[in-house]
Amino acid sequence: MGKSCLRAIIDRPDLHLVGLYVYSPKKSGSDAGKIANRPETGILASNDIEDIVALDADLVVHAARLGATHDSHDDDIVRLLKSGKNVLSINGNTFYPNWSKARRDKLQAACEEGGVSFAGTGLNPGFAAERLLVTATSVCSAVSSVSLSEVVLTDEIASPEYVFDLLGFGKEVGSVDMNSDEWAPAQTLNAMFEDVVASVAHSLGWQLDEIKRKHRMLPSGRDLEVRAGKIRKGTASHIDWRWRGMIGGEEKVLLSIAWAMNDEHVNGGDKDLWKLEVKGIPNVAISFGVERPEGIPGRTSAEQMAVAGTVVNAIPTLIEAPAGLVSLPLATPFEVLG
């Protein structure tokens, strides 16, 4: 995701890259253009955050890999904010009604000290539920429940650490309790996506009693060779994550995310597709997806391109926003293609 955002920034004539932080020491000293598969930029990557803090920059796009909890990078974000840089995150920091008061206060204080703003963006979290699903309810005179389901094929993800350690593919089915925060991937995703459910409810004026989890792993019917490695027959090749926002024992907000290495457990062949449903007067149903344009080289997925699009389009809005925590509007400026 970070590399996709870097490409989008380099490609935009109205944006000027002034620095790049990398978490891998092997990439330190490399030209940002080389890392992004673009012409050289003259900007060399650094593995020292002090180099980024010292930069004269309007904004930092924070695209770090997810940590054990979705607030695990807050210390770095606070330092960047205090140094006078707006920060735009793609790590689940999109909305904050579900955050602890201590976290809100810490980030708000850092924004005020630096005279800058902090916001998050992305596809999900960021766009699909918090913006598009909520916007879909605006044609209803009454709403009883809302839901978003997402199916993403993950066989092209290259990082074994990400696929097997963070996402949980290749695990023995039943070997972990997915509904408990004791398993690190569940802890990370529960915190991030329960924020999404809470945000949707908040936008619709609902006070949730609780958020229930109903996650599961499904086994592969055969050995699979995927880009990140091998998934043995009988181990997890499909992971369903489901969060249910409840009021009075009734499900009001459902967020369902299916990650699949193939279409073995995908109903109806709905691959790389989001479905939104609003139960109300009237009912609303929306299906949407993103596709790679023809003629673009490389292996960047349409989803990665879309995340990068939400980032570059949000930059002017965040820079112009007053100091503090910002919820980005649905519509943001975009580049007009010639």
Side-chain angles (χ1 to χ4, degrees):
M1 292 298 184
K3 190 180 292 187
S4 300
C5 295
L6 177 61
R7 290 191 193 103
I9 291 168
I10 292 173
D11 291 346
R12 284 280 289 252
D14 57 335
L15 299 176
H16 179 57
L17 183 72
V18 295
L20 176 64
Y21 180 83
V22 289
Y23 287 84
S24 169
K26 294 180 181 179
K27 294 180 181 178
S28 185
S30 297
D31 189 278
K34 179 180 179 182
I35 292 174
N37 298 319
R38 292 293 188 267
E40 289 194 0
T41 63
I43 303 299
L44 302 183
S46 173
N47 191 230
D48 185 351
I49 195 173
E50 299 299 332
D51 291 338
I52 307 302
V53 171
L55 281 175
D56 179 15
D58 295 311
L59 180 141
V60 172
V61 175
H62 192 265
R65 182 171 295 173
L66 292 174
T69 60
H70 73 317
D71 59 356
S72 59
H73 295 289
D74 278 2
D75 288 346
D76 287 348
I77 291 171
V78 165
R79 289 202 63 202
L80 294 167
L81 292 169
K82 288 183 176 180
S83 72
K85 299 172 185 63
N86 297 281
V87 176
L88 185 60
S89 169
I90 66 167
N91 278 328
N93 292 298
T94 45
F95 296 85
Y96 37 86
N98 206 39
W99 294 359
S100 69
K101 184 177 184 300
R103 187 181 188 214
R104 289 197 306 270
D105 289 349
K106 176 175 67 174
L107 291 169
Q108 178 69 27
C111 288
E112 292 174 358
E113 181 174 333
V116 291
S117 300
F118 175 64
T121 191
L123 267 187
N124 188 21
F127 173 75
E130 302 96 314
R131 300 187 195 177
L132 190 56
L133 179 59
V134 171
T135 300
T137 67
S138 63
V139 302
C140 302
S141 59
V143 176
S144 59
S145 66
V146 296
S147 68
L148 168 70
S149 63
E150 172 182 316
V151 178
V152 178
L153 289 181
T154 51
D155 56 316
E156 285 297 317
I157 299 177
S159 168
E161 178 187 2
Y162 189 70
V163 166
F164 299 113
D165 296 338
L166 181 61
L167 300 187
F169 286 104
K171 289 280 186 186
E172 294 289 342
V173 175
S175 63
V176 296
D177 182 358
M178 294 181 62
N179 296 296
S180 168
D181 285 338
E182 292 182 3
W183 184 41
Q187 182 185 48
T188 299
L189 296 172
N190 285 333
M192 184 164 64
F193 287 107
E194 285 173 6
D195 276 1
V196 174
V197 172
S199 174
V200 170
H202 177 79
S203 296
L204 298 178
W206 295 340
Q207 180 64 48
L208 297 177
D209 297 330
E210 61 179 333
I211 298 175
K212 291 186 175 182
R213 304 163 184 172
K214 194 177 181 181
H215 310 322
R216 64 176 182 168
M217 290 181 175
L218 297 174
S220 177
R222 58 184 175 86
D223 288 345
L224 297 177
E225 292 287 347
V226 298
R227 195 175 177 198
K230 185 174 182 177
I231 295 176
R232 292 182 294 106
K233 179 181 178 180
T235 63
S237 65
H238 182 109
I239 303 176
D240 282 333
W241 300 91
R242 301 172 189 164
W243 295 270
R244 304 164 63 217
M246 311 295 292
I247 299 177
E250 295 184 2
E251 181 180 283
K252 304 294 285 185
V253 181
L254 171 64
L255 175 59
S256 173
I257 300 175
W259 291 338
M261 283 297 175
N262 57 23
D263 60 4
E264 180 179 1
H265 300 290
V266 176
N267 294 327
D270 289 334
K271 296 176 289 187
D272 294 329
L273 185 67
W274 290 259
K275 287 188 174 181
L276 289 71
E277 292 188 356
V278 178
K279 298 299 184 184
I281 304 175
N283 293 331
V284 180
I286 300 174
S287 295
F288 75 101
V290 291
E291 298 179 356
R292 277 180 56 90
E294 293 183 2
I296 292 185
R299 304 183 70 168
T300 306
S301 71
E303 290 82 7
Q304 290 169 326
M305 293 177 182
V307 170
T310 69
V311 166
V312 295
N313 290 333
I315 288 173
T317 301
L318 190 59
I319 288 175
E320 295 170 5
L325 303 176
V326 174
S327 292
L328 295 171
L330 177 62
T332 48
F334 53 88
E335 180 185 17
V336 177
L337 297 176

